[in-house]
Amino acid sequence: MKILITGGAGFIGSHVVRLFVTKYPDYQILNLDALTYAGNLENLRDVENASNYKFIKGDIADQNFIDQLFAHEQPDAVIHLAAESHVDRSITDPMAFVKTNVIGTVNLLNAARSLWQPGGYEGHVFYHVSTDEVYGSLDFGPEMFTEETAYDPRSPYSASKASSDHFVRAWHHTYGLPIKLSNCSNNYGPNHFPEKLIPLAIHRLRTGQPVPVYGKGENVRDWLFVKDHATAIDAVFHKGKEGDTYNIGGVNEWQNLKLIELLCDVVDEKTGQEVGTSRKLIKFVTDRAGHDMRYAIDSSKIMNELGWKPSVTFEQGLAQTVDWYLANEEWLNSVTSGAYQDYNQKQYAGR
Ligand code: NAD
Ligand code: DAU
């Protein structure tokens, strides 16, 4: 089987590529990635010479390129992760999210349909990896997002992901394209780009800079270790029902401030500082526009139907993550040079 994985040089994609290349030596894995600021082939150095792996640089928003790629490579299946993924960037540049997340997804759907339909859809699958943010925002009650929760996206990022989910389902209902979807909560772990809360905080603590907490730090997110998301994607790809959606989460809700305080203490312990030192760097800053209050995900469907569950506790995952960032200073330095500094200046200036 030849699988086209899009966005494989990014955070989650690189863990998915590694898992599939190493676990399934009989599969051919094509990694299609535009190598935007978030894509980094350093994430895949350990598998880049594997005989069942090939990297292709290209933009999913370029229709001609995508059509030619499908005609030439003839993939049997697609696991689609390529996206603009950062909510703050979607607030300042929404059109980039429309281009990649919406138009890019439709280009892939069209190309898969054209390639597969003449011979029938048997043995093919188009799997879209999506987010829990499409469901909107919860208050602090017991409610959780289920696969039946109505869509209510509220940021340009989540609107673009909701739109792409709708297009994927429309291609199933209208053209019979065999699709699968999953909607996951916040990931964390190695190779996470340091614009997202956890790696941003580790990077800033490491370099003695303030750690920005939006608003009062009351917002709640559910956190899942990235390698556990990769095994969930493996389960959905191989065992998930055609046409179905699976919610994926860590059963692990944290208020942002509590999470940052815990992270500060882990960093202090790992770096041999007196516990409490890092907490002094916490800085409350202006809130994110339209900041969703709480995400909580009910993962019972994937757990009960596909037998998936997270392999690590949050404490274990966070410790592994901090260890990875402390041991991979070079990676962090390389991704935080140049353009990253301009972004940071604009993002946090005056806050
Ligand atoms: P990321 O930003 O780290 O990586 C995205 C990758 O897509 C990068 O390698 C980038 O170069 C590539 N890319 C961007 N635009 C492209 C284009 N036009 N053509 C080809 N490649 C392009 O993102 P991530 O955090 O790894 O997220 C991966 C997917 O999982 C996304 O679809 C995201 O919506 C979804 N998701 C992320 C999370 C999370 O917590 N990070 C949670 C749930 C779902
Ligand atoms: O829920 C899944 C989503 O999780 C994914 O679909 C997105 O791709 C991913 O980026 C993530 O979105 P969030 O907006 O929740 O993640 P982020 O790390 O940007 O922020 C986490 C929380 O921390 C959020 O409530 C905003 C807050 N925050 C974030 C940053 C960057 C801060 O308080 N300070 C910060 O500097």
Side-chain angles (χ1 to χ4, degrees):
M1 169 152 48
K2 196 188 259 192
I3 308 176
L4 180 71
I5 300 183
T6 71
F11 168 46
I12 301 168
S14 60
H15 289 276
V16 174
V17 165
R18 177 176 300 98
L19 180 69
F20 275 68
V21 166
T22 54
K23 186 171 172 187
Y24 303 107
D26 292 343
Y27 293 176
Q28 281 298 313
I29 304 299
L30 304 179
N31 171 12
L32 168 64
D33 198 296
L35 297 183
T36 68
Y37 78 94
N40 189 345
L41 290 176
E42 285 302 319
N43 297 347
L44 289 165
R45 280 286 169 247
D46 54 328
V47 293
E48 68 181 1
N49 294 320
S51 57
N52 63 338
Y53 170 75
K54 184 162 107 179
F55 173 70
I56 300 161
K57 185 170 187 294
D59 183 350
I60 60 167
D62 179 343
Q63 187 192 336
N64 286 337
F65 166 75
I66 290 299
D67 288 346
Q68 282 168 24
L69 175 77
F70 273 67
H72 179 66
E73 293 289 353
Q74 310 225 333
D76 301 299
V78 174
I79 304 180
H80 174 35
L81 295 106
E84 288 293 341
S85 67
H86 191 38
V87 175
D88 290 325
R89 288 185 192 253
S90 82
I91 294 167
T92 48
D93 183 14
M95 196 50 84
F97 288 68
V98 175
K99 284 185 189 142
T100 288
N101 301 1
V102 183
I103 295 171
T105 301
V106 176
N107 283 339
L108 292 166
L109 287 165
N110 276 336
R113 179 177 163 236
S114 302
L115 175 68
W116 297 338
Q117 200 185 33
Y121 287 132
E122 186 69 33
H124 298 297
V125 61
F126 188 105
Y127 176 6
H128 184 222
V129 175
S130 192
T131 171
D132 62 354
E133 298 198 11
V134 297
Y135 298 122
S137 180
L138 297 167
D139 60 26
F140 294 119
E143 204 192 337
M144 296 177 125
F145 299 136
T146 72
E147 287 81 359
E148 277 71 49
T149 302
Y151 274 31
D152 182 23
R154 295 148 49 101
S155 73
Y157 165 69
S158 55
S160 71
K161 291 296 290 188
S163 171
S164 56
D165 286 1
H166 288 319
F167 275 108
V168 172
R169 290 196 183 98
W171 259 239
H172 179 62
H173 291 293
T174 308
Y175 308 113
L177 193 77
I179 59 126
K180 296 179 183 183
L181 284 114
S182 57
N183 295 79
C184 187
S185 60
N186 286 59
N187 286 216
Y188 69 97
N191 306 104
H192 204 181
F193 193 78
E195 64 187 351
K196 311 281 165 57
L197 181 65
I198 289 183
L200 178 97
I202 299 173
H203 169 57
R204 286 181 162 238
L205 291 172
R206 205 185 119 247
T207 48
Q209 300 175 70
V211 176
V213 171
Y214 294 168
K216 295 182 182 153
E218 289 171 335
N219 306 63
V220 172
R221 297 290 182 266
D222 171 81
W223 294 92
L224 178 70
F225 193 50
V226 64
K227 292 182 189 186
D228 286 328
H229 190 187
T231 62
I233 289 171
D234 182 9
V236 172
F237 180 76
H238 286 101
K239 299 191 277 180
K241 208 169 129 212
E242 187 185 305
D244 263 21
T245 294
Y246 295 84
N247 279 355
I248 306 168
V251 201
N252 179 39
E253 287 180 55
W254 283 82
Q255 225 165 23
N256 290 340
L257 182 58
K258 292 272 170 248
L259 167 61
I260 291 302
E261 287 174 348
L262 171 68
L263 188 59
C264 284
D265 296 350
V266 174
V267 169
D268 284 345
E269 278 163 29
K270 300 267 179 200
T271 55
Q273 297 191 101
E274 192 183 334
V275 173
T277 310
S278 288
R279 286 189 186 209
K280 293 186 190 128
L281 287 169
I282 292 173
K283 184 182 172 204
F284 293 94
V285 301
T286 316
D287 210 350
R288 171 185 281 173
H291 197 172
D292 285 343
M293 188 48 83
R294 173 174 168 254
Y295 305 142
I297 196 128
D298 179 347
S299 318
S300 46
K301 179 176 175 184
I302 186 171
M303 288 177 162
N304 296 335
E305 289 186 15
L306 307 187
W308 170 86
K309 61 177 185 339
S311 67
V312 294
T313 64
F314 191 47
E315 286 68 22
Q316 289 166 334
L318 208 56
Q320 280 189 41
T321 303
V322 173
D323 283 341
W324 187 87
Y325 280 94
L326 294 179
N328 286 276
E329 239 176 79
E330 215 173 289
W331 183 92
L332 207 40
N333 289 339
S334 75
V335 300
T336 53
S337 60
Y340 178 83
Q341 291 179 10
D342 300 338
Y343 164 78
N344 255 274
Q345 208 139 34
K346 285 194 198 115
Q347 182 60 26
Y348 296 103
R351 280 181 117 172

